[in-house]
Amino acid sequence: MSAPARRRFRVLAVATATATALVVALGNQATATTSATEIAKASATTRAATGEDNPAANEVRESPTGAYIVQLDDAPVTEYDGDIAGLPATRVLPGNKLLRSAGQVVSYVQHLGRERSRLLDPLPDVKRLYDYNYTYAGFSAQMSHDEAVKLAKSSGVKSVEPSEMQHQDTVDTPRYLGLSGKGGAWQQAGGIDKAGDGVIIGMIDSGYVPERASFAPLKTTKQSDALIAAKWKGTCQVGIEAPVACNNKVIGARYFDAGIGNRPIPEEYRSPRDYGGHGTHTASTAAGNYGVDMNVLGRDYGKGSGIAPHARLAIYKVLWAVDATGGGSGTDADIVAGIDAAVADGVDVINYSISGSGSTFVNATGLAFLRAAKAGVFVATSAGNTGPGVSTVGKNFPWVTTVANGTHDREVQTTVTLGNGKSYTGAGIGAGTPSAPVILAKDAGLPGANPTNLVLCMPNTLDPAKVTGKIVVCDRGVNARVDKSLQVKNAGGIGLILVNPTPGTLDSDLHSVPTVHLDHVAAPEIKAYVEGAASPTAQIGAAQTVRVNAPKVASSSSRGPSPAGNGDLLKPDVMAPGTNVLAATSAFSAAGGQYAFMSGTSMASPHIAGAAAVLKSKYPTWSPMAIKSALLTTGTSLDTSGKPIQNDSGSPGNPFGYGAGLVQPKLAMDPGLVYDSSYDDWAKFVCASGQVAETHELCAKGKVDPSDLNYPTIAIGDLAGKQTVKRTVRNVGKLAEVYFPKVEGLAGVKVTVTPKLLVVLPGRTATYRVTFEHNGAPLEQYSFGKLNWRSARHVVSSTLAIRPLTVKAPVQVNGTGTSGSVQVPITAGYSGTLSTTVSGLTAATVGEATLRNPGGVSFPTTNPAANEHVAKVTVTVPAGTKHARFSTFDADYPAGTDLDVFVYKAGTTAVLGSSTGGSAEEEVNLPAPAGGSYDVYVDLFSGAAEQAVKLNHWELGDATGNLTATPASQAVTAAGQVSVTAAWSGLSAGTRYLGRLGYSDGADGSGSTIVRVDS
C-alpha cells in the first residue's frame, strides 16, 4: 500500500513512558523532505569537550512531537575502538556480528548509561523515552525546547535533533521473478524448505496479524533451529491489547510507542498486532509461508508465498494508525528504537518500507543503518512514492539497497461497458454491477460543493439524491483511491469508474463498491459519453486475471538522480514488483478478509529483503554489499517482451526509475563476480560528499571521490571533460574465469576499460579502471549505458549514468557586505574559450501575508488553494528570466515555525517545485523558467496560532551593474581548472541579493553558479 497522501503528522500528546530496562533503541530518521539547510545545521551541531557554549546549540530546531534525539560524543557499540581506559573495544570487525551479551559490550553499555545519567540528572523534568547503544549512542526524551538547547551545549553531546513523524512508504510473484520452477532460486538454495533457512528478517513496520496462515509454524530441522538459537537474542513482547503469540516462524515481536504517545486512534492495539495492515503485508511478502490459499472478495487467487518462505521473522512495530485511514505513522524516537533493537537482537536482514530523506547521508537513521551494515545486516528500503518527478528518491545511503516499484506481469482486470456498446478495460478485483445509470461526479454534488473537490469525490461533496442507485465517474487524485468508492457508497451509489486525469498506474484496490480503474486515454471518452447521452448507462464486469507485458515503472515510484551526492551514486538501486501485490494483511485493509492487493515502493522493498534472505541462507558468509551486488549486477532492463523497460505512462524508462533493472533472484544465486565495500569505504564516501566537516569522525581515514566507491553501478553527475573511476571485483564462484568487457549505450561518451580482460581465481579479486571522456554527448544531460563483464559462464552488468558538463562549478557561492568578492573554482568540460556573463545582483522582492491556525496536514499538491493557513502569492516572471528563486528564511520567524513552499504555473495544478523541510528555511529554484505568472503557495504547517509570513523571490535577467565576473573570457582545456572572481559593490545594507554567473562555450554548452549576497 502506498503511503497516504500526507507528508507527516505531528504528535500532539506527551508520552510518559520511561526507558525500558533493556537497551532497545537506535538512531533517528529525518523527514522525507529534510532540506539541505537542515542537514547543514544537523551536521554542524558539534560540541567542544570543554562544555563551553556552542553557537550551534542555538540552532536546535523545536520538535513538533515534543521529543528529541540526543547523540553522545561516545561511539556506539558497533564502532567503539577501546580508547577509554578500562573499557575494551566493542567494534564489529568485517564478517562478524554484534554479540550483545559479550562482557566488553555489557561494560561499554553500562558506561553509556552513566553518561546519560550525568547529562539527565540535572534535568529532572526530562522524560526519557529510549536508550540507544548499538548503532547510535544516545537517547531520546520528551523535553522542552529550552531543555534541548541546554543539552546541546553540554559537554559530551554531539547533536540534538527533533523527533519527527515518518510514514509507511506490496500470486505468482515467485514465478515472475524466477524463484520457483526448474533452476529457480529456490531450487538453487536447496528447495523451498531451504529458501531463507537459518536467516532472520527484521520488519520495521506496523506490526503483524499472527493468525494469518503466512505466519503459521514451520517444519524445521535441528540444524536450522540451532542456527537461529545461536544468533537470536530477541523477545516476544505480547503486548497489552490483543496480545500476540510468537512461534518458530515469527520468533520475536516488539512494539515501540513511547514517542507516539496517545496519538493513535482508539482502535489501534498497544501490542505488536497490526491494525492498518501495512506491516502484515510487507512481512508476508518478504517471508510468508509457502502454499497459502489466498482469497479476495470471495475470489480464489490460488496459493501464494513470500520470497523467502523458510526465513524467520522478527516484528518491530513502530508505525501506528493515527486517523481513520489506518495509514501507519511513527515518530523518529520509536523508529530508531526499533532499528537498534533489531540489530542487537541478531537479525540478518531488515526491511524498512518507511519514508525518509533523499538529501542527506548523515541523518540519524542513515548513521544507524551504516552501523547495521557494518554489523553484517542487509537493509532493504523503499525508494518512496513521490514520483515521477526527478530527484525525488529517498534513503540514498550507499550501504542500503533502495528499491523502486515496478508493475507485475499478472494483472487483475475489469471491463466496463457503456450504453453505447463501447467497452474499456482497466484494473479492478471485485464483482460487477448490473447495467445502471451513470453520472459524472461534477454533476452529482451537494449544493455549494467545491467543484475541484467534487470531481475527486472528496468527502462531503456527493449528493445522495443524485447518486443513489448509480455508477459515479470520479477523477483520481488527492484523497485515497479507496476513499472515493467509500464516498460513492455513502451517497448510495452502486459502482465507481475511477479515471486517471494524467498518465499513472492502474491499481486493483479493495473498494467499497465494484470499481474499474481506467487510464488517461479512456477518461475523456467515458466523460464525453456520459455528458452527451440522454440517459447514459454503464455495466461493470467481474474481475479476470490476465498476463500483461511487464515490468513498467510505476508513476508514483520516486526517481533519481539522488539529491545527495551530486549524482555520483545511482539511486534507486534496483526494481521489484510493487504494484497490485497480493499478500496477507489485516481485516481493516482486507474489507474484513485476510488478503489484499496493495501498491507502492513499500511493497517492492520486501521482495528485495526476501531475495537477500535467500542469498544469505546459501552464502552465510557474504557481506550485505556482496548480496546487494549479486542482486544488482544480474538485474534486467528488459521487459517480458524483450524490449527496454518503459514507464507506465508509455514513455521510455531509464535507470533513474528502475536502477539496475528488475531483480532476477535466479541469476543472483550465481553472480560470478561481486563488488564489495566496507565501513571505511562508506565513511570516505560521506566525507567526500561535503555533508560533514573534515574534522568529523567519518573523515578519519580520508575521502574518496563518490564515483569511486566500489559500487555495482557507476554514476558521474559532473563529468568535466574526462574522468577515470576504479572498481574491484571478487570471484565468488568455484572456478577460475576469464572476463572480457563490453560497453553498451552511452552514445557520445568515449569509454576506455583497462585492462582488456580479467583473469580471476576463486575467492580472489581483480581491479579495473574505466575512463569516461566527453565525445559529443548532449551537455547537461545524463547518458545511460552498461558495462558488461562476460565470461563463458556469467555476465556481470554494471549500469552507467554519466552527465557531461560544460563546466564543473559550484551550484552557489555566498558572500556578505555591501561590497566584496568571492573566487569561483571551475573545471572545464571542453577545450576552447569560456565566457562568463552576469545576471543581477537583484534585491529580493518580498510578498507578505498573515496566516492563522497551522494546518499540520500535507498540502494537497494536486488541488492547491489558499486558506487561513495557506497564502497564495502570484509572481510575474518576465520572458528571458535566467533563474527564479522563491525562499523563506528561519531568521524571519520564531523557533518552531514550519513553512512549506509550492510553485505552480498560474492556473494549473501540476507542481513545478516544492520545498517541505521541517523548518521555515525553504527554497524552490526554477532555472530558465518560461515567462508568465506563477502561483506560489506558502503553507504554515506548524508554529504560532497567527504568523506573518514573507515570501522572498528573485527573477534574474540582465546585469544590473553591481556584479562583475573576472575574467569575462578565458581559454580552457578539457578537465583543466581555472577560476572566476565574482565581485560586488554598491549594495544597500540589510538586503538579500541574488545573482548568477552564466558560463558558455560559445555553442550549446552552458552552466551557472548562483551568487547569494547578504549585505
Side-chain angles (χ1 to χ4, degrees):
M1 182 171 75
S2 59
R6 59 186 58 190
R7 176 166 53 87
R8 55 188 183 266
F9 295 89
R10 291 306 195 244
V11 174
L12 304 179
V14 177
T16 57
T18 58
T20 56
L22 287 175
V23 178
V24 294
L26 171 260
N28 113 305
Q29 167 73 36
T31 59
T33 50
T34 304
S35 69
T37 303
E38 294 173 276
I39 296 161
K41 289 180 182 179
S43 62
T45 309
T46 55
R47 303 291 175 268
T50 61
E52 294 176 345
D53 284 359
N54 187 329
N58 298 319
E59 298 179 355
V60 175
R61 289 187 294 114
E62 187 166 0
S63 172
T65 67
Y68 295 83
I69 295 175
V70 180
Q71 183 179 192
L72 303 177
D73 278 336
D74 289 302
V77 167
T78 52
E79 288 184 354
Y80 172 60
D81 59 7
D83 58 349
I84 300 174
L87 290 174
T90 62
R91 66 182 181 274
V92 179
L93 299 176
N96 293 340
K97 295 197 68 173
L98 171 69
L99 183 59
R100 185 170 63 180
S101 59
Q104 65 269 34
V105 172
V106 173
S107 296
Y108 186 64
V109 168
Q110 290 172 346
H111 161 75
L112 294 178
R114 290 190 292 271
E115 283 295 291
R116 281 186 285 264
S117 296
R118 178 182 63 81
L119 292 166
L120 289 172
D121 285 349
L123 299 170
D125 293 333
V126 171
K127 296 181 175 65
R128 197 179 334 181
L129 301 177
Y130 298 105
D131 291 341
Y132 308 141
N133 296 298
Y134 302 100
T135 56
Y136 195 85
F139 59 93
S140 58
Q142 206 84 27
M143 67 184 85
S144 69
H145 183 244
D146 288 344
E147 289 167 327
V149 171
K150 183 175 181 179
L151 269 176
K153 297 178 180 179
S154 301
S155 171
V157 172
K158 181 176 294 183
S159 66
V160 178
E161 301 179 21
S163 170
E164 299 185 297
M165 295 292 289
Q166 307 299 334
H167 312 291
Q168 59 199 34
D169 254 0
T170 214
V171 177
D172 52 356
T173 302
R175 171 204 54 79
Y176 176 42
L177 296 183
L179 290 151
S180 59
K182 185 177 180 180
W186 287 348
Q187 186 181 76
Q188 293 184 60
I192 292 169
D193 61 349
K194 296 295 183 183
D197 191 40
V199 175
I200 306 168
I201 302 178
M203 304 298 301
I204 312 292
D205 214 297
S206 65
Y208 80 119
V209 178
E211 293 79 15
R212 296 294 177 260
S214 297
F215 308 127
L218 291 171
K219 291 183 178 179
T220 62
T221 64
K222 290 182 179 179
Q223 181 183 13
S224 173
D225 291 340
L227 283 173
I228 297 299
K231 57 188 170 185
W232 177 243
K233 307 301 178 186
T235 62
C236 187
Q237 185 184 11
V238 299
I240 300 169
E241 299 171 356
V244 303
C246 299
N247 55 27
N248 69 348
K249 176 64 179 181
V250 180
I251 60 175
R254 305 174 76 164
Y255 67 101
F256 301 86
D257 62 353
I260 199 71
N262 63 2
R263 176 65 169 163
I265 58 177
E267 293 85 353
E268 251 290 13
Y269 308 109
R270 292 286 178 175
S271 77
R273 183 175 292 274
D274 186 9
Y275 173 78
H278 188 268
T280 302
H281 203 279
T282 56
S284 57
T285 298
N289 288 335
Y290 176 78
V292 173
D293 292 318
M294 294 188 173
N295 183 289
V296 181
L297 295 181
R299 182 183 179 89
D300 182 10
Y301 285 93
K303 295 183 181 297
S305 172
I307 301 301
H310 226 68
R312 317 297 179 96
L313 285 164
I315 306 298
Y316 300 87
K317 181 176 178 178
V318 300
L319 299 182
W320 303 82
V322 297
D323 60 22
T325 68
S329 299
T331 70
D332 290 331
D334 293 336
I335 289 170
V336 300
I339 298 171
D340 204 48
V343 175
D345 287 348
V347 304
D348 301 292
V349 174
I350 285 176
N351 185 75
Y352 187 78
S353 293
I354 301 176
S355 63
S357 172
S359 55
T360 177
F361 300 121
V362 291
N363 61 9
T365 300
L367 294 176
F369 284 141
L370 169 71
R371 290 140 186 169
K374 182 181 182 182
V377 178
F378 178 97
V379 180
T381 70
S382 53
N385 301 317
T386 54
V390 299
S391 296
T392 51
V393 62
K395 289 149 289 185
N396 294 306
F397 322 120
W399 44 87
V400 308
T401 301
T402 309
V403 190
N405 171 7
T407 60
H408 204 292
D409 77 338
R410 177 264 306 125
E411 195 168 278
V412 187
Q413 295 181 344
T414 295
T415 297
V416 60
T417 302
L418 304 180
N420 62 6
K422 290 187 177 180
S423 296
Y424 301 85
T425 298
I429 61 175
T433 70
S435 179
V438 60
I439 187 172
L440 298 179
K442 75 178 185 67
D443 298 323
L446 290 164
N450 181 303
T452 303
N453 293 342
L454 178 59
V455 298
L456 299 167
C457 294
M458 297 278 281
N460 304 314
T461 59
L462 296 175
D463 188 347
K466 299 174 183 177
V467 171
T468 298
K470 297 179 182 177
I471 297 170
V472 183
V473 181
C474 302
D475 281 2
R476 179 182 189 167
V478 186
N479 59 326
R481 298 183 299 270
V482 293
D483 183 55
K484 299 174 190 293
S485 63
L486 177 61
Q487 301 309 317
V488 170
K489 179 182 179 180
N490 290 344
I494 66 167
L496 168 65
I497 301 174
L498 175 62
V499 295
N500 284 351
T502 57
T505 53
L506 299 180
D507 298 277
S508 299
D509 301 303
L510 278 174
H511 284 281
S512 299
V513 294
T515 297
V516 58
H517 186 178
L518 301 176
D519 63 21
H520 65 292
V521 177
E525 297 183 27
I526 296 284
K527 292 181 178 181
Y529 163 73
V530 178
E531 189 95 64
S535 300
T537 61
Q539 181 174 1
I540 299 174
Q544 294 183 333
T545 302
V546 298
R547 291 268 180 264
V548 295
N549 187 41
K552 296 178 180 179
V553 186
S555 60
S556 61
S557 188
S558 296
R559 305 304 211 269
S562 164
N566 197 32
D568 285 347
L569 184 76
L570 179 60
K571 288 282 182 171
D573 287 304
V574 71
M575 185 168 68
T579 300
N580 296 333
V581 175
L582 178 60
T585 189
S586 67
F588 175 87
S589 287
Q594 299 184 18
Y595 303 93
F597 293 91
M598 294 185 180
S599 299
T601 55
S602 279
M603 284 63 244
S605 181
H607 286 82
I608 298 301
V614 175
L615 279 164
K616 186 72 173 178
S617 68
K618 184 176 182 182
Y619 304 109
T621 63
W622 279 18
S623 72
M625 296 303 101
I627 293 173
K628 175 179 186 170
S629 175
L631 295 170
L632 268 59
T633 61
T634 56
T636 178
S637 58
L638 303 178
D639 60 24
T640 48
S641 71
K643 296 180 179 179
I645 292 173
Q646 292 187 319
N647 299 316
D648 64 6
S649 63
S651 61
N654 65 50
F656 288 143
Y658 55 69
L662 180 70
V663 65
Q664 297 188 105
K666 177 178 179 178
L667 298 180
M669 297 296 287
D670 182 19
L673 304 174
V674 297
Y675 297 81
D676 213 340
S677 56
S678 67
Y679 175 85
D680 286 348
D681 300 316
W682 310 326
K684 293 175 184 177
F685 170 94
V686 173
C687 184
S689 73
Q691 291 194 4
V692 298
E694 294 193 5
T695 55
H696 195 281
E697 60 262 32
L698 290 174
C699 293
K701 296 189 177 180
K703 63 178 70 174
V704 63
D705 187 295
S707 295
D708 276 329
L709 179 68
N710 201 45
Y711 215 66
T713 55
I714 298 175
I716 303 176
D718 52 3
L719 177 67
K722 184 178 182 180
Q723 185 170 337
T724 299
V725 301
K726 183 178 75 171
R727 292 291 188 271
T728 299
V729 291
R730 184 174 79 252
N731 184 351
V732 293
K734 296 181 179 178
L735 301 173
E737 292 192 70
V738 180
Y739 286 86
F740 298 89
K742 181 179 180 182
V743 177
E744 299 176 357
L746 222 59
V749 178
K750 181 182 178 182
V751 184
T752 305
V753 184
T754 54
K756 296 301 182 184
L757 61 84
L758 295 178
V759 180
V760 197
L761 299 176
R764 303 297 292 272
T765 62
T767 296
Y768 68 88
R769 287 172 171 79
V770 188
T771 299
F772 299 92
E773 187 171 1
H774 180 237
N775 191 31
L779 294 168
E780 323 304 330
Q781 299 179 30
Y782 276 92
S783 296
F784 303 101
K786 285 189 176 182
L787 168 59
N788 297 317
W789 285 98
R790 296 178 177 271
S791 73
R793 297 169 54 86
H794 299 99
V795 178
V796 184
S797 181
S798 289
T799 301
L800 310 174
I802 310 296
R803 181 176 63 163
L805 300 181
T806 306
V807 294
K808 182 177 180 179
V811 174
Q812 179 171 311
V813 293
N814 300 310
T816 58
T818 57
S819 63
S821 65
V822 62
Q823 193 172 60
V824 185
I826 296 170
T827 304
Y830 64 99
S831 295
T833 300
L834 171 67
S835 299
T836 305
T837 57
V838 300
S839 299
L841 295 169
T842 300
T845 301
V846 182
E848 297 190 43
T850 298
L851 299 179
R852 299 174 179 84
N853 300 324
V857 296
S858 288
F859 181 81
T861 54
T862 59
N863 186 25
N867 55 46
E868 64 177 358
H869 62 83
V870 176
K872 183 175 82 169
V873 180
T874 299
V875 176
T876 300
V877 175
T881 294
K882 296 177 175 62
H883 192 97
R885 175 177 287 183
F886 310 91
S887 297
T888 60
F889 297 94
D890 274 340
D892 294 340
Y893 304 96
T897 305
D898 184 354
L899 300 177
D900 294 330
V901 176
F902 304 84
V903 181
Y904 299 77
K905 201 73 165 64
T908 69
T909 58
V911 64
L912 298 177
S914 64
S915 183
T916 57
S919 71
E921 192 86 13
E922 306 293 354
E923 177 183 299
V924 176
N925 291 282
L926 297 181
S933 295
Y934 288 76
D935 290 337
V936 185
Y937 294 88
V938 182
D939 182 8
L940 178 61
F941 188 86
S942 65
E946 182 171 309
Q947 178 68 60
V949 298
K950 298 178 180 180
L951 176 71
N952 298 256
H953 58 94
W954 301 262
E955 295 75 46
L956 303 181
D958 297 330
T960 59
N962 54 14
L963 176 66
T964 61
T966 307
S969 178
Q970 59 184 310
V972 295
T973 57
Q977 295 184 342
V978 295
S979 66
V980 169
T981 300
W984 59 91
S985 61
L987 306 186
S988 299
T991 305
R992 294 177 174 124
Y993 285 88
L994 207 69
R996 176 182 180 272
L997 305 183
Y999 311 114
S1000 173
D1001 63 354
D1004 296 331
S1006 63
S1008 65
T1009 295
I1010 296 298
V1011 180
R1012 162 83 186 278
V1013 179
D1014 288 350
S1015 59

